[in-house]
Each structure stands twice: as C-alpha cells, then as structure tokens.
Amino acid sequence: MDHGKSILVFPPTGDLGYPHLGIPALVAYLKEKNKDVTVMDLNRLYRSTGEKGGASGAYVEELNRRLLRSYRGRDPAWPANLYELASRLASAPGVEHIGFSIVYPNQVAVAVCLAKAIRAANDSVKLFCGGPMVTLNIEEYRQSPEFRCFDFLIVGDGEEALYRILDGATDFSTVPNCYGKGKKDGRFIFSGRSFELAPAEYRAPVFEKGSYDVLPLRMSKGCFYRKCAFCTYKSVYDGYLAADVDTVVGHVRKMVQEWGVKRFTFVDEAIPPRTLLSFAGRLNDSGLKIEWDCSSFFHKDFCDPGEVSVLATAGLKTVFFGFESANKRVLALMRKSNRQDIVVDVLRNLKRCGICSHLNVIIGFPTETREEALQTVRFLKEHRDIIGDFTVHRFSLEYYSDICMEPEAYGITWLYDTGYDTNISTRLEMQFETKDGMNPEQRQYMALKAAAAFRRKQDKPGQYVFKKLKAPVYYLWHYAQIRGRKPHWSGPRDTT
C-alpha cells in the first residue's frame, strides 16, 4: 500500500567519526518492504554547511544554547539554516511522514524545535520520534507539552512500528513499541504491543548518498557478559543474540560494493573472541580486503599468537576493551573479571601483531580511594609501550544500573536523582556520596589527572593519544522490560 514518501532525520550532535547506524538500519528494513524512505543526516550535513563550519561539538553546544533560550522566551530567533530546513521539510512534495532519531541528549532540543516548526507549517504531515533518548525518557516525554507536536513516540526497536505507521495504520494500538495519542485528552498511551528484531533479521544498512571513509555495522544485540555493576545495558536485552558470521560477511561485501568503503567499525557492545575469530576466518576466505575495529573483552583466546594473526590478516586494526581499573578491589566491586596477567598478555600479543588496544578507564567508582586510582594511572604509564590508546571516563552513576538499585551494597550513603532538564525532559546523572573513598571534587581531579598525565606525540606531528574526558552514557532500549525496577534515592541534601 503506497502512503507517500517519508523522511527520517538524524539531528546534529557532534563529530562521531562516521554516520550513526540507527536510521540506515531502519531504512534497510523498510526498503525491503517497499517503503519510500529518505535519510537526512543533519550531523553530516552541518559538517560542511553549519554556521560554525560543521557539526563540531562547539557548534552543537552553541546551537543548543540558542534553542534552549528560545524555549525560555529570551531569544526567539532561530539559526537561519534550521528555520529554512524546517520550511523545506514542511513543504516537501509527497512527504507524509517525518521522523526523528534522538540518540544523544544534545539532539533533543533540535528535534523538538524542528518538529514544532514543521507542525506549525503543515498540520497534515505525521511526525514521530524514537531512539535511545525517547526510550530512556518515555515517561517524561509522553507527558511533556513540548512533545505534543509529535503524533507517535516509538521506543525500543522501531522497525516494525515504522512499517505499520508508514503503511497507513490509523489505530496506534496495532503498532508495536508505540505511544499514540488517546482520543479523550490527547495524551500519549502505550499500544501494549512489543517487537524486537533478531540479529538474524538484520539487513545491510542503507546510508545517505555520498562518500564515506568509515561505516558502522553490527553483528549482535545484547551483552554476553551482562555483569558490570555500572551498566544499564544488561537490563535492556534478555541474553545475547548474534547473527551468523556468513551473513555479516555478506553485509560487508554489499557495503563495499555499494559505498566503496574499506573501513568498518562494529558498534556491538562487545563481541566474544570466538565470534571474532570465526568472522575473521570467513573474511579471509572471502577475499575481501578491509580494515575494521570492534569492542571485545580480555580473554585468553587473545593470548594465542596464531589466532591473533588471523585477526590481523583479516584487517582488524583496533580492539576497544573495558579495562576500567587496575585495582583488584575496585574491579571486584564493579564485577569485572579482568585478570592483570591476562590483560598484559593480551595487550602485548595484539601489539606484536600490529593491532591497537584502546582501553576504557573509569576513575571515581564509589568508594575508590586516591591510591587505588593512582594504581590505575601507574599501570597505564608502565605499559604505555603496549597500549595503543585509552579514554578516561569520570564515573557517572546511571539510572537503572545495579549500583543505583542497591546503593548500600556499593558504600553509597546518599543518592539523589538530579531529575530532568525542565525544558527538554532529559534525565541527568545522579549525585551520590560514599562513606569511604574520594569526594566529587577529588573524583573529578583524579579523572583529569589520569587523562592529562601521559599526553605524548604519535608518529605524525600534532597527533596525540586520545584521552578525552567524558562521562559514559548507557542507554535503555526497552523501557517496558525494566519499567518495574525503581531505584532508591535519598532526596535532596538538607543544607540547613
């Protein structure tokens, strides 16, 4: 059934290094069902046409400041290019549906402002939004007047929901993973139906026309480890599912043929070493010559030089690891199984085979002391010859993590939900205090110290080891699955 054209918009967020996978994966699913869908990646567009020369982090921050001021009535003037874009979208011939993928917090204001402008100019077009930020904050978004401009809010896997909407569904109660407006008061209500796309059903993503240096891909969903105390991702998916490696190789071949790209990044949470070795073997047999990176975990399989050489021959260039800490007590509290002897062997073996190891480090975990943090800093310094890159994360306590659910078990004596930005209804990180360990100022200082301590030049002048300080954000993809879990918090600190 033909119901006109549809546009899926990815708002600007900052330089990701490659296009986000969400919308291209949706488009692949929808095109297979003969839906006419166009991708509009504003993040990529503003890299060349943005007011400040592109979708750099600074540009997006300034854009959000201006839009939030317009929320508060202090600066009604929009950036001219966004206003023109909204007008163009609202008047696009034959377009009946416009959707927004909201993945990062700094995309919320742009998406909502664009949607409101489109709605003001065209009352007949159907507007919807989805993505991790919508799933994470659905209870707030569905009650927020700012989101009334949308006809549908989509949570979790949006493939089937979008297909039903684009196919002309008039009763949202038949649309899975969907919140539609009730007839009585116009408030969003959940359809009561759910849908989850299995990795076996993944299709090669369809990107916006253009040239790319790197493209993302995935071969699994969920996390096979599912034990980390700080992570919310394991509460989202029940178990771990992976696509057949031959199917993944087929996707790689198709993307090489269609886009001419030779560099890929797998965006899976973490791929088991056995799966990586199987994929690498099939890739070598296929004759495809590509370069790729992925995330995995420290395992003795990476200690076998013969097996790692298979990965190197297949074009593996970088492996991202959750190293987190060098201190045994902190690792045990995090429920991480890293053994330092295996970690060193893996790093050395990968280095020997020409594969870069990128370590993610967490500073400021609840009850972590200064000396324990310094132990991690010393490890990084002593093994800098076999560590490719590392990123220091100041610990951020996330809603629905095990720590948030059982704060006393992690030495937390005071926990306060900082709530939501009142303009965009987006959850902020939680504040906490512990009976032992560093205070907030000390945690921040040690994270900065770890991030800045080992800046050194690489082979090319001006190139430095990547040690950007940022708080990790873990997104909830299926709100319905964890809706019943409510964290305990102490309330605002009484300073009287």
Side-chain angles (χ1 to χ4, degrees), residues 432-473:
F432 68 94
E433 291 181 3
T434 58
K435 61 181 179 182
D436 300 306
M438 296 181 285
N439 62 35
E441 291 75 20
Q442 291 170 332
R443 292 193 292 266
Q444 178 76 359
Y445 171 78
M446 286 304 299
L448 289 168
K449 181 180 177 66
F454 311 113
R455 182 164 297 186
R456 58 185 170 88
K457 290 187 177 181
Q458 296 287 64
D459 296 334
K460 297 179 181 179
Q463 297 286 321
Y464 295 93
V465 174
F466 177 57
K467 293 181 282 294
K468 181 180 179 183
L469 175 65
K470 60 181 180 179
V473 179

Side-chain angles (χ1 to χ4, degrees), residues 248-258 264 286-288:
V248 181
V249 171
H251 292 168
V252 170
R253 183 183 300 280
K254 185 175 181 180
M255 293 169 71
V256 168
Q257 292 171 346
E258 291 191 7
F264 293 85
S286 73
L288 289 167

Side-chain angles (χ1 to χ4, degrees), residues 262-294:
K262 295 296 180 69
R263 178 85 187 206
F264 293 85
T265 181
F266 284 90
V267 295
D268 308 60
E269 280 294 293
I271 305 174
R274 285 286 111 194
T275 302
L276 288 176
L277 288 165
S278 178
F279 170 71
R282 296 288 199 282
L283 200 58
N284 288 331
D285 293 341
S286 73
L288 289 167
K289 300 299 181 182
I290 64 167
E291 296 180 351
W292 51 288
D293 55 60
C294 66

